[in-house]
Amino acid sequence: MDEFKGCNLDYFPENILIDVLSYLSVRELVRAGRVCKRWKRLVKDQRLWRLVDLTAWKGVTSRILWLLLRQYLGCGLRCLRLRGLLLSARGGTFLSESWLRALSTKCPRLSKLYLLHADLRGLPSCQILPPSLQVLELRGCELPREFFNQTPTSPACSQERAEATSSVGAQQQRKDQKGKGLIPSGTGIERLVLNNVPSFTDQHLLSLTSWERLSRLELRDTFRVTANGLRSCAAKDGICGVEGLSRLKFLEIGITGRQGYQLQMASLGLGAGWLGLEELSLGGKEVGPGLLCASRLKDLKCLRLWACTLSEMQIVRSCRMLRGLRRLEFLDVIFQPRQCPPVVEGEDGGGEQDNEEAEGGDNSNDENKTIDINDPIPSLRRSLAVLLPSCALVFTNCSVQINTD
């Protein structure tokens, strides 16, 4: 026992110490680096700075961001989560152009950026974000009017691009010009998530049509997006080929807040169709109008409905036109009970019918009984199995509305 009394953390190998330090927050890591020279060297190991979450650290200023970038953040950074000062009484500048350019240089492998309550109106556009970004998530942020616009090309480049488009070898010339740096490739973001961003309008949505790699778009509580704005950005056949968000494969539209707000029902814009859209997610008040227009989506393979109240008849009517559907998901959905016809006293036929149904239920196998217990509405699964035999049904945290009457 005397041998273990003299042991301390200096006897542990560095790999074990790094694993222990990985459980600390960013603020605790910075404090741990002040213990000794060895710990300072261990804290700067890039394995500890792959996923950096600063949303729990309240009061992060630009001075702290510069300190972290100069001393700790490096090529190992993959995901960065930041909380802005939009709701802070202190206010002040949070993200600057110089810091974002330094972040792009020092962290070339950063692929995901999450911003919470950040005021981005001081930034010219999203072009100053790190070019390595693949996922951009904004929640409760303020945006400038031209934030998602791409950098306009020069007149010479525009003329060369028009000539290349009209010629026979348009695609090959376009590749050669991009290789020489004549045509900017634009942002490389593949997934864009907007959650409760009140300043996001149809103009921002229209600017996204210039993003060449955008394949997933999630709009949650974006109240200023209208059906006309969504219709104008839908992928459709044009004079020069497919126009709009042609590469988009996944689209989510949901409104769950502000009960008294006058909603625009943006999902009605899906009624014009959308080429290439394979997955659709509808939530809240957008489920009803979205189901009415989902039949116009010829390439739709997966449909997800969440945080809403639905009836069996409403679902069955909408799914009759979705023969190509392969997956149907229900998440946090409240199902309305089926409306049974009233029973009239003195009719013998009703009693005989009930007895026949009871006998038929007794003769059913145990497997059907198990399915009826697990499903919120057993008849819904049977109806959808007939309409969509090759579609997989998934129920997650669903319930049935109880009628007190």
Side-chain angles (χ1 to χ4, degrees):
M1 296 296 295
D2 296 336
E3 298 178 358
F4 294 98
K5 290 182 179 180
C7 295
N8 51 30
L9 293 178
D10 294 335
Y11 290 91
F12 288 92
E14 293 186 353
N15 292 334
I16 295 180
L17 290 178
I18 290 177
D19 292 340
V20 174
L21 293 174
S22 63
Y23 291 94
L24 301 180
S25 63
V26 176
R27 194 169 189 175
E28 293 170 344
L29 275 178
V30 174
R31 292 177 178 177
R34 303 171 183 173
V35 174
C36 59
K37 292 183 178 180
R38 188 192 182 195
W39 280 36
K40 183 178 181 180
R41 179 171 52 84
L42 291 176
V43 166
K44 291 185 178 182
D45 193 289
Q46 289 301 305
R47 285 175 289 182
L48 298 174
W49 300 94
R50 291 180 179 178
L51 305 176
V52 178
D53 188 0
L54 296 175
T55 56
W57 189 351
K58 297 182 180 179
V60 177
T61 60
S62 59
R63 177 177 174 274
I64 298 177
L65 291 180
W66 276 110
L67 177 65
L68 295 175
L69 183 60
R70 291 169 179 170
Q71 298 187 11
Y72 302 101
L73 303 182
C75 59
L77 184 63
R78 300 293 190 275
C79 176
L80 180 60
R81 299 171 60 90
L82 300 175
R83 175 193 290 269
L85 303 175
L86 189 61
L87 301 182
S88 176
R90 178 172 48 185
T93 304
F94 178 64
L95 292 178
S96 60
E97 297 185 34
S98 57
W99 187 86
L100 289 173
R101 292 193 182 96
L103 180 66
S104 305
T105 304
K106 197 171 182 181
C107 305
R109 299 180 181 178
L110 179 62
S111 60
K112 183 176 180 179
L113 179 61
Y114 172 85
L115 299 178
L116 173 65
H117 300 157
D119 190 359
L120 306 178
R121 289 173 292 185
L123 304 178
S125 68
C126 63
Q127 291 293 316
I128 63 174
L129 297 177
S132 59
L133 281 183
Q134 298 179 0
V135 180
L136 176 61
E137 185 172 354
L138 305 177
R139 182 171 183 177
C141 299
E142 288 292 339
L143 304 175
R145 180 173 299 181
E146 300 179 355
F147 183 75
F148 295 110
N149 290 350
Q150 298 287 348
T151 303
T153 58
S154 60
C157 292
S158 301
Q159 184 178 0
E160 293 178 0
R161 190 168 186 174
E163 293 177 356
T165 306
S166 60
S167 63
V168 179
Q171 296 181 355
Q172 186 64 30
Q173 293 184 15
R174 197 173 301 171
K175 292 181 180 179
D176 297 340
Q177 289 178 352
K178 285 185 178 181
K180 296 178 182 179
L182 299 177
I183 297 179
S185 58
T187 179
I189 296 176
E190 301 176 0
R191 179 186 177 189
L192 178 61
V193 181
L194 298 169
N195 192 345
N196 193 16
V197 181
S199 58
F200 186 81
T201 61
D202 292 341
Q203 182 179 355
H204 295 97
L205 188 60
L206 186 62
S207 302
L208 296 179
T209 56
S210 60
W211 291 23
E212 299 179 356
R213 300 182 183 180
L214 186 63
S215 60
R216 295 176 63 93
L217 178 60
E218 303 177 18
L219 304 177
R220 305 169 187 169
D221 291 337
T222 52
F223 303 100
R224 299 181 66 182
V225 176
T226 63
N228 293 330
L230 195 66
R231 189 180 299 110
S232 62
C233 298
K236 51 186 176 296
D237 292 328
I239 301 177
C240 301
V242 181
E243 300 177 351
L245 296 172
S246 57
R247 295 183 178 271
L248 200 67
K249 302 297 181 182
F250 177 89
L251 176 63
E252 177 173 303
I253 307 174
I255 293 181
T256 58
R258 298 191 183 183
Q259 300 293 333
Y261 198 87
Q262 186 178 0
L263 304 178
Q264 301 291 344
M265 299 299 179
S267 55
L268 290 176
L270 300 174
W274 198 304
L275 297 178
L277 188 62
E278 299 179 355
E279 300 181 31
L280 177 63
S281 178
L282 301 173
K285 300 177 178 63
E286 295 288 354
V287 174
L291 285 177
L292 298 176
C293 304
S295 59
R296 301 296 184 91
L297 306 177
K298 304 301 180 182
D299 301 325
L300 188 63
K301 297 180 181 179
C302 179
L303 178 61
R304 182 186 181 189
L305 308 176
W306 50 276
C308 59
T309 302
L310 295 173
S311 63
E312 180 181 354
M313 185 63 65
Q314 185 179 5
I315 299 173
V316 171
R317 287 179 178 177
S318 302
C319 293
R320 286 178 179 175
M321 305 300 295
L322 301 177
R323 298 296 182 178
L325 205 62
R326 294 294 178 265
R327 186 178 180 87
L328 180 58
E329 301 181 10
F330 299 94
L331 176 62
D332 296 329
V333 176
I334 300 177
F335 294 98
Q336 296 178 354
R338 299 185 64 181
Q339 299 295 333
C340 299
V343 179
V344 181
E345 297 180 358
E347 293 184 356
D348 298 335
E352 294 178 357
Q353 185 177 0
D354 294 341
N355 295 332
E356 292 177 358
E357 291 179 357
E359 293 176 358
D362 296 337
N363 295 331
S364 60
N365 51 15
D366 296 337
E367 183 179 358
N368 292 335
K369 289 182 180 180
T370 304
I371 294 177
D372 292 347
I373 293 175
N374 294 333
D375 291 343
I377 298 183
S379 59
L380 177 60
R381 181 181 287 271
R382 292 193 294 265
S383 301
L384 293 178
V386 176
L387 294 176
L388 306 172
S390 59
C391 180
L393 302 179
V394 180
F395 295 88
T396 304
N397 196 21
C398 298
S399 60
V400 179
Q401 186 178 6
I402 300 177
N403 191 358
T404 57
D405 297 336

